Amino acid sequence: MSGADPLTVRGATVWPGCLDAASQAALMRDVQAIWAAAPPRHPVTRWGRPLSVGMSAAGALGWTSDRRGYRYAPAQDDGRPWPPIPPALLALWARLLPQARPPDSCLVNLYRGAARMGLHQDRDEADLTQPVLSVSLGDEALFRLGGVARGGRTESLWLRSGDVLALSGDARLIHHGIDRIRPGSSDLVPGGGRVNLTLRVAGA
Ligand code: SIN
Ligand code: MN
């Protein structure tokens, strides 16, 4: 572990360079093991439009979306359970968020090319008092943060490989999204792109 002191952007806590190069490489191997058990796919929205982000998950519950809408599911579409959350991520959560319950869900997002994620709130979890922890690996990404209410002013920052960010307390429900990545800015992800790992307490 390494990195600068945490900073606060619109209530979100950012730990720049929290994971050193060796920790990032180890985590990338953990991600590849997750993908071997639960390959990334592009879920469709309720309106049938595939998301540009490739998604997989680990933990007891995985976030998923289809024509019925989005939700947390206890298994993959084919009935197989999601693979376990890597111990290094559980340890990172415990170190940075010692007051929180352990996470039961890890979304594994893969951004390649023009993939992006529109402004949204994370609010499908049963207990919204519990924080969200997000780990960036690979290419840089332009992360946009707004307020709890829709609309209004937003602020953007570039997230780099090894950066970690938490949404907690008053910032737990702020709007956020990824405008774009900078393809080729890192060679950590095999085949290129950016991986984002989002740890959450999804169940009651
Ligand atoms: C998300 O909000 O689900 C992902 C955010 C990110 O990719 O950094
Ligand atoms: Mn989110």
Side-chain angles (χ1 to χ4, degrees), residues 9-10 12 63 72 107 109 111 116-125 128 131-134 142-151 153-157 159 165-168 171-179 194 196-200:
V9 184
R10 295 190 72 89
W63 189 89
Y72 281 101
L107 180 66
N109 281 342
Y111 297 77
R116 58 184 303 280
M117 186 171 295
L119 270 188
H120 67 277
Q121 290 172 297
D122 285 14
R123 55 178 315 149
D124 301 324
E125 299 71 39
L128 295 175
V132 170
L133 193 71
S134 142
L142 190 57
F143 187 70
R144 185 189 292 267
L145 300 108
V148 175
R150 255 176 96 94
R153 204 169 62 87
T154 64
E155 208 170 314
S156 296
L157 78 149
L159 290 177
L165 180 146
L167 300 180
S168 61
R172 172 62 178 77
L173 287 174
I174 60 174
H175 286 77
H176 59 277
I178 295 290
D179 286 349
R194 170 181 189 255
N196 178 259
L197 301 158
T198 307
L199 293 158
R200 305 188 184 104

